[in-house]
Amino acid sequence: MSQNLLNELYRIVGEENVKLDEPMSKHTTFRIGGPAAYFVTPMDTEELSQVVALCRAEKMPFFVLGHGSNILVRDKGMSAVVIQLYKNYSDFSIKGERVIAKAGVMLNRLGQEIRDAGLTGFEFAAGIPGTLGGAIMMNAGAYGGEMKDIVESVSLMDYDGNLIEKSVSEMDFSYRHSIVEDEELIVIGASLKLKKGDVKAINDRMQELAIARKTKQPLEYPSAGSTFKRPEGYYAGKLIMDTGLAGYSVGDAQVSEKHCGFVINKGHASAQDVITLINDVKKKVFDKYSVELSPEVKIVGDE
């Protein structure tokens, strides 16, 4: 452990916002993952900028985390500074048809406020279990909508601490992709453009999607959401089901019998259980259909 790094983290964000050897299983929806060497929760953009600059100066790897809903942290954890933009970084405002929000706000909370303001267009995102920042980074989508449909502009920070504003066209949004990872950027907020709608109709649609999720997805178990990207011309879940892998298990990691596109943690799955299962599924599907599955879940941490 670098005492200088630790002292500087304490100075920048305060001792109460720094945790050492923090189990990442507490901060991912998979409920899996070894410890992060340093776990830091900055309060504002200035603190974030200073933490990033410190990590660069100390040659310490860092990783920006939201709600942890699309990642799998390896069992050995992360020899890094994990910077969580979540509860401390979740302010937003709604003016007319425009929503200005920070990266750490949860999509479900934002969705409820947007509904109450009588704005439509966000319904598809309101049930996604993640933060705005994570949703923008991967152009999250569901039920016919994607973030690129409602994003007007994105506020970003580069690894030198510079603030950048990019329009939706500059974000290079495509299926589960944006410019964020390609150019080593951090999402710090966004402007969303929505439309006036009827509160009851918006609420009805949100309820309809919530019921669809509950009915079709294994929400009763920890998971990272859809485990595989949709291969062109196919559905990952159907390919996995048709390969006979519903319920296939490695340790406590299992292909959900409710929706084969999800890998679930049935209790005490290790990251290695999940990784082995993912690789098994990829091989078996390829052997049967010659279709290459790519994980949608991001695997991070020390090997």
Side-chain angles (χ1 to χ4, degrees):
M1 180 186 297
S2 164
Q3 193 60 46
N4 182 60
L5 175 66
L6 183 58
N7 289 342
E8 285 298 295
L9 288 173
Y10 285 161
R11 181 187 64 79
I12 293 166
V13 302
E15 243 178 278
E16 69 279 7
N17 290 318
V18 180
K19 294 178 181 176
L20 303 180
D21 295 323
E22 177 72 359
M24 290 299 291
S25 57
K26 291 168 61 175
H27 302 284
T28 66
T29 57
F30 238 144
R31 298 290 173 254
I32 295 172
Y38 307 87
F39 190 87
V40 182
T41 49
M43 298 291 289
D44 54 36
T45 305
E46 179 56 35
E47 288 186 0
L48 171 62
S49 175
Q50 288 186 46
V51 171
V52 170
L54 173 64
C55 292
R56 300 264 285 176
E58 294 278 328
K59 296 185 168 47
M60 183 70 178
F62 65 90
F63 179 80
V64 179
L65 177 76
H67 184 53
S69 59
N70 197 51
I71 68 165
L72 174 66
V73 179
R74 290 187 175 93
D75 299 310
K76 287 187 178 178
M78 305 178 75
S79 302
V81 175
V82 174
I83 305 169
Q84 189 187 49
L85 300 182
Y86 179 26
K87 292 176 183 174
N88 287 358
Y89 205 79
S90 59
D91 297 343
F92 61 90
S93 64
I94 302 174
K95 294 175 183 173
E97 298 180 352
R98 185 169 283 111
V99 178
I100 309 291
K102 287 186 178 176
V105 66
M106 287 292 289
L107 296 174
N108 57 5
R109 178 180 167 223
L110 194 57
Q112 289 165 10
E113 297 288 343
I114 287 171
R115 172 201 62 200
D116 293 348
L119 296 178
T120 186
F122 197 81
E123 291 90 330
F124 78 91
I128 296 174
T131 60
L132 179 65
I136 288 172
M137 184 181 83
M138 66 174 291
N139 186 30
Y143 298 105
E146 291 179 292
M147 294 307 295
K148 70 180 178 65
D149 302 332
I150 56 174
V151 167
E152 186 175 50
S153 63
V154 181
S155 302
L156 302 146
M157 182 183 290
D158 67 21
Y159 284 8
D160 292 321
N162 300 309
L163 298 179
I164 304 161
E165 196 81 14
K166 286 191 180 289
S167 67
V168 63
S169 59
E170 293 173 311
M171 288 297 294
D172 191 29
F173 284 127
S174 58
Y175 177 68
R176 301 300 176 263
H177 169 268
S178 75
I179 206 169
V180 173
E181 281 192 284
D182 299 345
E183 297 197 2
E184 295 190 326
L185 300 169
I186 301 166
V187 179
I188 60 173
S191 171
L192 311 178
K193 188 72 168 70
L194 302 165
K195 294 178 180 174
K196 285 289 182 190
D198 175 71
V199 174
K200 184 181 182 306
I202 295 164
N203 191 61
D204 287 349
R205 178 61 174 158
M206 285 170 61
Q207 291 298 319
E208 180 188 336
L209 296 184
I211 291 166
R213 281 188 170 94
K214 194 170 183 180
T215 306
K216 297 175 183 176
Q217 298 178 7
L219 303 182
E220 62 273 26
Y221 290 103
S223 79
S226 296
T227 306
F228 297 97
K229 294 178 182 175
R230 187 178 66 238
E232 196 169 340
Y234 299 90
Y235 290 99
K238 187 170 187 331
L239 284 171
I240 295 164
M241 182 175 67
D242 292 348
T243 306
L245 293 173
Y248 179 78
S249 298
V250 175
D252 264 0
Q254 184 186 70
V255 174
S256 168
E257 294 173 282
K258 196 173 189 181
H259 189 315
C260 289
F262 286 65
V263 172
I264 58 174
N265 176 4
K266 292 215 53 173
H268 299 96
S270 67
Q272 192 53 56
D273 289 342
V274 176
I275 291 166
T276 301
L277 187 146
I278 285 172
N279 290 333
D280 288 354
V281 168
K282 286 176 64 177
K283 182 179 186 306
K284 290 173 189 291
V285 168
F286 188 81
D287 287 349
K288 183 160 186 177
Y289 291 105
S290 298
V291 177
E292 187 80 50
L293 291 179
S294 299
E296 183 172 310
V297 60
K298 185 179 174 67
I299 301 170
V300 299
D302 302 346
E303 294 197 52

